[in-house]
Amino acid sequence: MSAVPGLAPTIVRTRAIADPGALSDRLPEEPVLSWIRDGEGIVGWGTTARLDLPGTEFAITAESWWREHCQSLLVDDAVRLPGTGPVAFGSLAFDARTATSTLVVPRVVLGRHAGRAWLTTFDEAPAAIPPISRPHAPHRVSYADGALTATEWTGAVAEAVRRIRAGKLDKVVLARDLLATTLLPIDVRFLIARLAEHYASCFTFSVDGMVGATPELLVRRMGDRIESRVLAGSARRGPGGDDLLRSDKERSEHEYAVRSVVDVLAKYCDPLDVPAVPSLLRLPNVVHLATDVSGTASSDATSLALAAAVHPPAAVCGTPTDVALDLIPELERMDRGRYAGPVGWVDAAGDGEWGIALRCAEVSDTRVRMFAGCGIVADSDPVRELAETQDKFVVIRDALEAHTVAVPTH
């Protein structure tokens, strides 16, 4: 146990519990947080503390804020696994210059890992898990264009290709948004349950209105082990997925993404293992080129610090980073906010997992703003890139599970 002398400590207790079943079924009817993969992970609800800061101030400030917050707690952890004791969920801005990042410390955390389950409570929070809850579907959903129509977006891709061929940059990732309006207010628990069921191998996340199922692990730290799964290069699920490994275009896009992560993690790992050839990651709707990078930590940087250092990788930004970062808002004509930014969690020991907020939406009341993007290189085809975004929108559209009224795109 530890606490800062002279301050009234917040008591944090973690206790082993019986298997609660699906974590998503135990979320109460209040603001919730989640990080679930293959039935394991952590979920939380309530708020004991939070930090909201512009992206340019966030990385260093958040790290010191979290350390100081943990020092003010009196911790009684009878389980002692990564994710037990104090935990903060985070959702960080894509572009530190324009958006706000958030860390949320929940009032209750429910977790499950490797056959063990636990409940963490802060102060007087109930020490029992909520009953199984079945949230309502949002019902009737209508769709409309976001910042750009489909035609305008393909034009933006064509302009990106022109600049790449002119030697302005090597790669840029362009995204588009799609707006949905529902008849009933969105119950985020419904989306979490649907995503965790249908995309079990992805990380189903929910942090302060950002909800999704990301396949991409930006960085994981567990003790002295650091890992990252880099995804770039995609195709629709089917027999043609194997062609990714033979595609010069897709391999080139993937290599830019791997190099951007490796160059950063090499500063924090010794040694660092990087496979020479990518593998295929098959998801229900798409196939990705994937490279699993791993190494032994050579510093005490927390998972939060590592996520901030690696971001933005070429997989969601481009190469060179500074040129791509300036071009993205010019061509997309929107602010991504926390889309394509780091999302995940960190515990008091600095362990944690951070993904990239992909296959996701920003949810507020009856409004859903979905995002999907593609890596653009010299031989990208705008029409094919548009089709790829439509495939990626399916993740959230299917999770809404409602009769839809489509608003035609132009």
Side-chain angles (χ1 to χ4, degrees):
M1 295 187 180
S2 63
V4 177
L7 296 178
T10 296
I11 301 174
V12 182
R13 295 184 177 88
T14 298
R15 293 290 181 266
I17 61 171
D19 190 339
L23 297 175
S24 59
D25 287 346
R26 296 290 185 170
L27 294 169
E29 195 172 350
E30 59 179 287
V32 295
L33 305 118
S34 80
W35 185 260
I36 304 170
R37 181 175 183 264
D38 287 332
E40 297 191 340
I42 53 175
V43 296
W45 53 90
T47 303
T48 62
R50 67 178 291 150
L51 178 70
D52 299 282
L53 282 175
T56 52
E57 304 174 19
F58 190 82
I60 296 176
T61 303
E63 183 82 353
S64 60
W65 178 86
W66 177 236
R67 291 183 188 276
E68 291 173 7
H69 182 76
C70 290
Q71 290 171 3
S72 72
L73 305 174
L74 191 62
V75 180
D76 180 8
D77 183 355
V79 179
R80 296 187 178 277
L81 289 174
T84 65
V87 171
F89 290 76
S91 177
L92 280 57
F94 168 73
D95 189 337
R97 303 168 299 183
T98 61
T100 296
S101 297
T102 298
L103 275 184
V104 180
V105 183
R107 186 170 54 91
V108 181
V109 176
L110 175 64
R112 177 207 262 167
H113 176 70
R116 303 178 68 184
W118 64 89
L119 186 71
T120 300
T121 58
F122 287 69
D123 272 348
E124 301 305 318
I129 63 174
I132 292 176
S133 177
R134 303 296 184 191
H136 63 75
H139 295 294
R140 187 179 177 88
V141 185
S142 60
Y143 292 94
D145 289 322
L148 297 177
T149 66
T151 300
E152 289 169 336
W153 192 80
T154 55
V157 173
E159 175 60 18
V161 170
R162 187 189 70 79
R163 298 198 193 188
I164 291 169
R165 291 176 177 174
K168 304 297 183 182
L169 71 168
D170 298 312
K171 172 188 174 181
V172 64
V173 178
L174 293 184
R176 55 189 288 247
D177 59 347
L178 179 67
L179 306 180
T181 303
T182 61
L183 178 64
L184 300 177
I186 302 292
D187 189 330
V188 169
R189 300 175 301 162
F190 180 83
L191 295 182
I192 292 171
R194 293 280 297 167
L195 293 169
E197 177 185 1
H198 293 286
Y199 296 89
S201 63
C202 295
F203 297 96
T204 295
F205 64 88
S206 172
V207 181
D208 196 38
M210 290 298 294
V211 185
T214 180
E216 188 141 359
L217 177 67
L218 182 63
V219 66
R220 172 192 290 126
R221 175 160 191 163
M222 298 293 170
D224 64 357
R225 179 75 171 176
I226 294 176
E227 299 172 310
S228 177
R229 168 168 284 181
V230 183
L231 304 181
S234 306
R236 182 172 296 183
R237 181 69 186 261
D242 292 332
D243 292 340
L244 282 174
L245 292 170
R246 296 185 292 270
S247 168
D248 291 339
K249 181 262 184 187
E250 302 295 344
R251 288 288 293 270
S252 174
E253 179 186 339
H254 186 77
E255 287 166 8
Y256 286 128
V258 172
R259 180 51 51 193
S260 71
V261 171
V262 168
D263 286 348
V264 176
L265 289 186
K267 302 172 185 177
Y268 298 91
C269 296
D270 186 18
L272 184 65
D273 179 43
V274 185
V277 179
S279 60
L280 290 176
L281 175 64
R282 299 182 185 275
L283 301 175
N285 59 328
V286 294
V287 182
H288 293 289
L289 289 178
T291 294
D292 292 321
V293 178
S294 61
T296 301
S298 58
S299 79
D300 63 355
T302 67
S303 63
L304 172 59
L306 291 170
V310 175
H311 183 74
V316 293
C317 181
T319 305
T321 301
D322 55 348
V323 178
L325 201 58
D326 286 340
L327 182 60
I328 285 169
E330 176 189 341
L331 296 184
E332 291 180 351
R333 300 186 208 169
M334 68 177 186
D335 186 346
R336 291 185 178 186
R338 289 174 289 144
Y339 163 70
V343 60
W345 60 273
V346 61
D347 67 14
D351 290 337
E353 293 180 307
W354 293 82
I356 301 177
L358 304 173
R359 315 296 194 273
C360 66
E362 185 177 18
V363 178
S364 178
D365 195 41
T366 60
R367 185 176 184 272
V368 181
R369 184 187 179 207
M370 292 171 273
F371 303 90
C374 306
I376 310 303
V377 291
D379 54 353
S380 291
D381 178 350
V383 175
R384 290 184 179 179
E385 303 298 341
L386 178 67
E388 183 176 327
T389 65
Q390 293 167 337
D391 289 340
K392 292 173 179 177
F393 280 137
V394 165
V395 174
I396 297 298
R397 293 185 66 157
D398 281 357
L400 290 172
E401 191 181 304
H403 297 293
T404 61
V405 178
V407 177
T409 56
H410 303 287

